[in-house]
């Protein structure tokens, strides 16, 4: 059982930056996959960035070059640095974790992850 608690959301103007944090109850060095998803009103939850236990990362095209996923194993915390924010980035952002080492890390669906945080709201105004 992995408990995840996000923080760092808020309201920002377009072009601004935010850093989201996700504190994990388990040692992050041992978590096979960790990811950030987001869900805008009326839309499905979409995966936007992941990091595996080796530190390899992957991003969806819409955030590539603007967002950076990272983790601090000393603090057992996952981060999402978001720069040059756009109104279309407005959504609830969720941290996710998966321990199933037999699976390849990905973010195609919500079923790629078993453990979820409660979410943190990000609102970007134009």
């Amino acid at each position: 059982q992995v408990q995840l608690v996000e923080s760092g959301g808020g309201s920002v103007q377009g072009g601004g930056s935010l850093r989201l944090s996700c504190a994990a109850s388990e040692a992050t060095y041992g978590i096979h996959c960790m990811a950030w998803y987001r869900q805008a009103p009326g839309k499905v939850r979409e995966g936007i960035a992941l990091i595996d236990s080796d530190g390899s990362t992957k991003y969806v095209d819409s955030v590539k070059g603007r967002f950076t996923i990272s983790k601090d194993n000393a603090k057992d915390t996952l981060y999402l640095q978001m720069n040059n924010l756009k109104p279309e980035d407005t959504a609830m952002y969720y941290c996710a974790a998966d321990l199933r080492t037999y699976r390849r890390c990905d973010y195609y669906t919500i079923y790629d992850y078993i453990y979820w945080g409660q979410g943190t709201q990000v609102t970007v105004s134009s």
Side-chain angles (χ1 to χ4, degrees), residues 91-121:
M92 185 73 79
Y93 283 70
Y94 296 91
C95 169
D98 194 79
L99 303 178
R100 295 171 291 180
T101 56
Y102 57 86
R103 301 179 76 251
R104 184 183 68 180
C105 293
D106 227 315
Y107 48 50
Y108 290 125
T109 75
I110 61 173
Y111 303 106
D112 285 318
Y113 293 84
I114 293 177
Y115 303 104
W116 294 85
Q118 82 289 350
T120 186
Q121 178 68 38

Side-chain angles (χ1 to χ4, degrees), residues 2-76:
V2 180
Q3 295 181 335
L4 303 168
V5 180
E6 301 98 333
S7 61
S11 297
V12 64
Q13 285 197 324
S17 298
L18 284 173
R19 189 178 79 157
L20 306 184
S21 299
C22 171
S25 63
E26 299 286 329
T28 51
Y29 77 84
I31 297 177
H32 181 47
C33 311
M34 297 192 78
W36 288 97
Y37 281 65
R38 66 185 181 187
Q39 187 168 18
K43 295 191 175 182
V44 298
R45 191 174 299 187
E46 63 166 345
I48 60 171
L50 69 82
I51 185 167
D52 67 16
S53 55
D54 293 330
S56 297
T57 59
K58 181 178 175 179
Y59 300 90
V60 68
D61 285 346
S62 60
V63 308
K64 201 173 294 183
R66 300 187 298 123
F67 291 9
T68 302
I69 188 171
S70 63
K71 59 179 178 174
D72 185 338
N73 291 332
K75 296 181 178 180
D76 295 329

